[in-house]
Amino acid sequence: MLTNEVPDASAGTVDDRAPRRRKRRRVVIGTVAAVFLVFCGLTARLFLFPVSGMPAQVDAIVMMAGPGDRYSTALRLAAQHRAPVLVISRGSDFVTSGPCAPPIPGVREICFDPRPDTTQGEAEYAARLARQYHWHSIALVTITPQDSRARLRMERCFSGHVYVMPAPIPAAMWPYELAYEWGATVKALTINRGC
């Protein structure tokens, strides 16, 4: 018996589209995973484990303003006579009025109010001091998440050696600092590129 039934064209199409959808889904998932891994790698390299440390002696120690125990770290390095000059940004909660820091024999202290009151302003001021006093090396005191951005800003303004000595911060501050530094670093790389 012959029938005049027409085969259902949609049956083959559904089967043909399923492998393409699976392939497209794998590409999207693979791309998202790759972007996530690159993001994690950059976060680790820039903000969690940047290269830090300094030689036994530099021309100046420059404490950048901000959170963490920067003030104690800067004073400890100066008391160890790691540099003849200690420069402190007054943007810190510890240094708002009165003497810059307790006197340290053999160490000259310079306090300043950065204009603008940003890492960029601090780098510009420190670079002016470096030109004035013929410094060839500077150790920045900051926190680990700010290390890469502070170094970038300073190296744009100062042609000498820039080292970074990180100060500790409470564990609860890490999430905020990481988020902040991502935004500030992107801004430093794309918008505020000058010294």
Side-chain angles (χ1 to χ4, degrees), residues 7-174:
D8 185 7
S10 65
T13 320
V14 170
D15 291 339
D16 290 345
R17 283 186 275 173
R20 281 186 273 160
R21 270 193 244 134
R22 281 194 298 273
K23 183 178 178 184
R24 196 173 17 228
R25 190 177 310 135
R26 281 194 301 267
V27 168
V28 169
I29 290 171
T31 302
V32 169
V35 168
F36 178 73
L37 289 174
V38 167
F39 174 79
C40 289
L42 285 173
T43 299
R45 172 63 181 89
L46 295 174
F47 310 126
L48 297 174
F49 308 108
V51 176
S52 61
M54 66 181 281
Q57 189 74 27
V58 294
D59 292 323
I61 297 164
V62 178
M63 186 196 88
M64 314 290 267
D69 198 9
R70 301 167 193 238
Y71 189 68
S72 296
T73 301
L75 291 179
R76 179 178 46 77
L77 292 170
Q80 294 170 352
H81 296 284
R82 304 284 296 271
V85 181
L86 172 61
V87 180
I88 297 179
S89 174
R90 284 194 182 265
S92 172
D93 293 338
F94 292 104
V95 187
T96 54
S97 64
C100 179
I104 300 170
V107 176
R108 179 176 181 203
E109 296 174 2
I110 301 172
C111 278
F112 71 100
D113 296 305
R115 301 281 184 256
D117 189 11
T118 62
T119 303
Q120 179 68 33
E122 292 170 330
E124 291 171 358
Y125 186 84
R128 284 194 298 274
L129 288 176
R131 283 190 297 277
Q132 180 180 350
Y133 294 110
H134 310 288
W135 296 340
H136 300 285
S137 59
I138 291 175
L140 301 176
V141 176
T142 186
I143 57 174
T144 300
Q146 188 188 17
D147 179 312
S148 296
R149 182 172 58 91
R151 184 188 310 269
L152 172 71
R153 294 274 191 209
M154 195 68 232
E155 286 175 346
R156 286 179 177 169
C157 299
F158 173 64
S159 61
H161 297 285
V162 178
Y163 305 97
V164 178
M165 292 298 291
I169 60 172
M173 293 182 72
W174 275 92

